[in-house]
Amino acid sequence: MTTPVIATFNTGSSSLKFSLYRAGADQLAGRLLGGKLTGLGANLKVDMDTTSESHERQFVDALSKVDPAPEQLIPELARCLSAAIDGTELIAAGHRIVHGGQSCDGPRLATPELLDALDRLSVFAPDHQPYNLAGVRSLAKQFPGLPQSLSFDTAFHSAQPREARLYALPRELTESGLQRYGFHGLSYAYIAGAMTQTFSDRPHRKTVMAHLGNGASLCAIQDGTSIATSMGLTALSGVPMATRCGDLDPGAVLYLIGSQKMTPDAVSDMLHHKSGLLGVSGISGDVRDLLASLAPEAEEALDVYTYRIAREIGSLTVALNGLEAIVFTGGVGENSQEIRRRVIARLSWMGIELDATLNESGAGIISTQRSEIAVAVIPTNEEEVIAREAFSLCRYAA
């Protein structure tokens, strides 16, 4: 008797996370293995996080023989995942899709028509959407008939109040889809489900979550629902990121194109890949490099970064009409005690106080007992959300 399994794929422009989950009769039954590919298009590296060295060698041997692009990697990954554990049968695949537009307010089964519609949103997420969709299409070709679900980063924010979604633009542009969407929704959805256990004896109805990684955003969560978020139409907006600028006066873009005679493509490349921490410091977009540097430019970049994060927490507190908890997640949020310390130090006027020992451990609640607002670190798990949504949709379509 075979064990049904679901594969998940979280595809970016330079990395790809993957997992394999066992599907029970009525619910997802647990993660079997997973890992991450980095250096897509260059020096491919496989890092398995839940299995043996022999499995890692098996994946490396298989994947090193194919072109390091999603069109080739995803089908080969699916074959590796289905063969990694004896007696399993791949019954469905789930994919992260960054932008779902106005119509995708929850997971959807992949169809050619839907993929074509999502293609048109690639202009709003050029570093992610094309790669996301390429993986779905390639798997459909290699595994015809395999149900595939799409999980959208924007969907979690679809219930926000209209006033939080509108730009002050002509109404016809708003109705055409030019509005705030928000991103990192799969991460926020996971954290929203995990908060009760972490804050078992602390109020947390009004929470600001800070997803800090190469991309970074913050979200106001009230009773598990997104109320407001720092990102908008695209993943360029909000707080500064590793190489993305964050919020910028639109007049600056007009100036670059008009007075500086930069092409739109050149401006886009600068804002996506040469700005943020890298742009301010001129050294690196990696927080670890900047914290290790003695250069004043590195310190200035970190000052801008933590100031903007703290200021955004203040803004989202207004959206919530108060604040009871703060959660750090994502690569930087989970692993950098110093960034957490610097952000919270800027918010000490709110009565927030970290416990230095707990902050160093980086797990669970890291604030003191007397802190008026609880602060926690909760590792995110976007793949579990993708797998749950895939199970929910695809068990009836298999």
Side-chain angles (χ1 to χ4, degrees):
M1 184 176 179
T2 59
T3 300
V5 292
I6 294 173
T8 69
F9 303 99
N10 185 341
T11 311
S13 58
S14 61
S15 67
L16 196 166
K17 297 178 183 178
F18 57 91
S19 295
L20 190 71
Y21 285 81
R22 184 162 60 90
D26 300 311
Q27 61 182 358
L28 206 64
R31 192 170 188 253
L32 297 174
L33 57 87
K36 182 178 181 180
L37 309 182
T38 55
L40 303 188
N43 300 314
L44 184 67
K45 179 182 177 182
V46 183
D47 181 17
M48 304 292 291
D49 58 17
T50 56
T51 190
S52 67
E53 289 185 9
S54 62
H55 276 133
E56 188 166 308
R57 287 194 299 271
Q58 174 188 342
F59 276 65
V60 171
D61 290 344
L63 297 173
S64 62
K65 297 174 184 176
V66 301
D67 188 278
E71 294 88 340
Q72 302 296 323
L73 284 176
I74 295 288
E76 190 60 34
L77 259 178
R79 282 189 283 268
C80 289
L81 287 167
S82 60
I85 300 176
D86 292 337
T88 60
E89 177 187 4
L90 187 64
I91 63 165
H95 301 261
R96 174 202 180 198
I97 307 295
V98 168
H99 212 304
Q102 290 180 304
S103 61
C104 295
D105 57 358
R108 298 285 187 272
L109 283 173
T111 66
E113 295 77 18
L114 178 56
L115 296 178
D116 288 344
L118 295 172
D119 264 331
R120 294 191 285 273
L121 298 173
S122 292
V123 66
F124 301 133
D127 286 345
H128 299 87
Q129 195 91 342
Y131 303 96
N132 300 159
L133 300 178
V136 181
R137 288 189 169 107
S138 63
L139 197 60
K141 290 180 181 178
Q142 297 297 321
F143 291 81
L146 180 72
Q148 297 190 73
S149 72
L150 311 180
S151 295
F152 299 96
D153 260 341
T154 50
F156 183 71
H157 305 294
S158 62
Q160 286 183 3
R162 183 169 168 81
E163 64 184 5
R165 300 176 64 83
L166 294 186
Y167 289 117
L169 292 171
R171 296 189 71 86
E172 59 270 21
L173 290 175
T174 300
E175 299 309 320
S176 73
L178 195 61
Q179 62 181 49
R180 300 180 66 90
Y181 289 93
F183 299 91
H184 295 130
L186 300 179
S187 176
Y188 293 131
Y190 177 83
I191 301 299
M195 280 198 303
T196 299
Q197 182 175 356
T198 300
F199 296 109
S200 58
D201 59 348
R202 297 293 298 267
H204 60 278
R205 289 185 59 246
K206 297 180 178 184
T207 298
V208 169
M209 299 182 188
H211 178 109
L212 308 179
N214 282 332
S217 71
L218 292 92
C219 184
I221 307 288
Q222 184 164 324
D223 296 324
T225 300
S226 174
I227 299 300
T229 186
S230 61
M231 283 184 170
L233 174 70
T234 77
L236 267 179
S237 57
V239 299
M241 292 160 256
T243 64
R244 286 177 250 165
C245 61
D247 284 344
L248 181 70
D249 183 343
V253 177
L254 298 177
Y255 167 76
L256 293 171
I257 294 174
S259 298
Q260 294 298 305
K261 308 303 180 186
M262 291 179 68
T263 66
D265 284 347
V267 173
S268 177
D269 180 59
M270 182 187 74
L271 299 183
H272 280 94
H273 306 125
K274 300 174 183 176
S275 299
L277 292 172
L278 173 62
V280 176
S281 70
I283 297 170
S284 174
D286 193 316
V287 164
R288 293 167 297 186
D289 294 338
L290 299 180
L291 288 170
S293 175
L294 298 178
E297 295 85 354
E299 186 65 19
E300 186 170 57
L302 293 170
D303 284 344
V304 171
Y305 182 62
T306 55
Y307 165 74
R308 290 286 299 278
I309 292 169
R311 197 175 80 172
E312 189 65 34
I313 291 173
S315 172
L316 294 174
T317 299
V318 173
L320 287 165
N321 292 313
L323 184 62
E324 295 173 331
I326 296 172
V327 174
F328 289 96
T329 193
V332 175
E334 294 169 25
N335 297 304
S336 180
Q337 61 172 305
E338 179 62 13
I339 293 299
R340 296 192 297 264
R341 186 194 68 77
R342 292 188 184 203
V343 170
I344 297 303
R346 294 180 180 274
L347 300 170
S348 59
W349 60 272
M350 298 176 73
I352 309 176
E353 184 179 89
L354 288 189
D355 181 302
T357 302
L358 294 176
N359 183 40
E360 185 176 354
S361 73
I365 292 180
I366 59 173
S367 51
T368 65
Q369 284 292 328
R370 61 179 174 269
S371 180
E372 295 184 21
I373 295 168
V375 183
V377 177
I378 303 178
T380 193
N381 191 337
E382 295 169 319
E383 285 68 41
E384 183 173 313
V385 177
I386 297 169
R388 286 201 306 260
E389 294 186 344
F391 178 81
S392 176
L393 287 179
C394 295
R395 61 178 171 156
Y396 300 112

